[in-house]
Structure formats: C-alpha cells, structure tokens
Amino acid sequence: MKLEATLFAGVALFFACVTVPYATYSEDPAGTAAVVIACLMAALVSFFLAVQHKRHGARPEDRRDGEIRERGGPLGLFPARSPWPAMTALGVALLGTGTVFGLWLFLIGTGVTGAAVCGFVFQYARSGH
C-alpha cells in the first residue's frame, strides 16, 4: 500500500499546486472550493493508505518474492442479506426530494436515513454473527 499512498500523495500535491494559481487568478469561489476539497480528499486517502501500510506491513503483491498462496484465506465478512443499503438509498432519495418539495419530506428522509445508518452500525450487535 506504500505505492498507492505515494500515488495519492502526488495527486494531493498536484491539487495543492493548482489551487494557489486557480484561487489567485479566477473569480470562481465554487471552483476554488472544489479544488481544495479534491486536494484534501486525495490527502485523506493517502494518509489512510500510509497508516494501513504501517499497521499491516507490506502485502505479498508489494514484494518481489511474494506468492499467490500468501493472499489465500478469508477475505472478510459479507452479509447474505441486509435491508439497510436499500433503506439508506431510500432515505437519501427522500432527503434529496425533500430539498425540492418541502421540509416535511426532508424530515421524513432524515428519520429514514438515521434509522438506516443505525441499522448498518448495529446489524451484528444482536445476532450470533
């Protein structure tokens, strides 16, 4: 992950270098904010990947002597069925529609999205997984 962290650090550096002239010569505050946010997002990804590399070390695909069999084993936990992605999508759709049609629909979307996010967070808290 060190290579990926370096790559995203380069992207963040590029956006940081572009931000200064763009903010100086343009009169577009939205564009300036977009370039700054792009820089910060690339820096965040770079930081995350660097921390993961430091925490877990080099992956087999990062080493020249790495073998395919070293990456074997369980990849993670994948739930069979979960209603929470669909509920989250419904809640976000209601939030977006509520900004157009009224506060009442926005508040319903807030409730649905909040319940769905709580469902995501606590979906394995009660079960035997």
Side-chain angles (χ1 to χ4, degrees):
M1 285 190 212
K2 189 174 183 179
L3 176 68
E4 291 92 344
T6 306
L7 178 71
F8 276 100
V11 171
L13 181 67
F14 168 76
F15 280 121
C17 292
V18 166
T19 299
V20 175
Y22 188 86
T24 304
Y25 296 115
S26 76
E27 296 179 7
D28 183 20
T32 303
V35 176
V36 168
I37 289 172
C39 174
L40 293 175
M41 287 182 359
L44 178 69
V45 172
S46 174
F47 175 73
F48 172 77
L49 291 171
V51 168
Q52 291 301 315
H53 175 72
K54 186 174 182 179
R55 184 178 295 163
H56 299 291
R59 300 174 298 182
E61 56 264 25
D62 293 337
R63 299 188 323 257
R64 291 209 181 264
D65 63 338
E67 296 287 330
I68 294 174
R69 62 181 163 78
E70 293 181 56
R71 279 302 261 185
L75 297 177
L77 175 67
F78 301 101
R81 282 190 278 180
S82 178
W84 304 119
M87 288 291 292
T88 304
L90 176 68
V92 171
L94 287 173
L95 282 171
T97 307
T99 58
V100 174
F101 290 112
L103 180 63
W104 63 275
L105 194 57
F106 183 83
L107 293 175
I108 292 172
T110 302
V112 172
T113 304
V117 168
C118 287
F120 256 131
V121 171
F122 297 114
Q123 72 181 341
Y124 295 112
R126 304 181 262 136
S127 62
H129 297 287

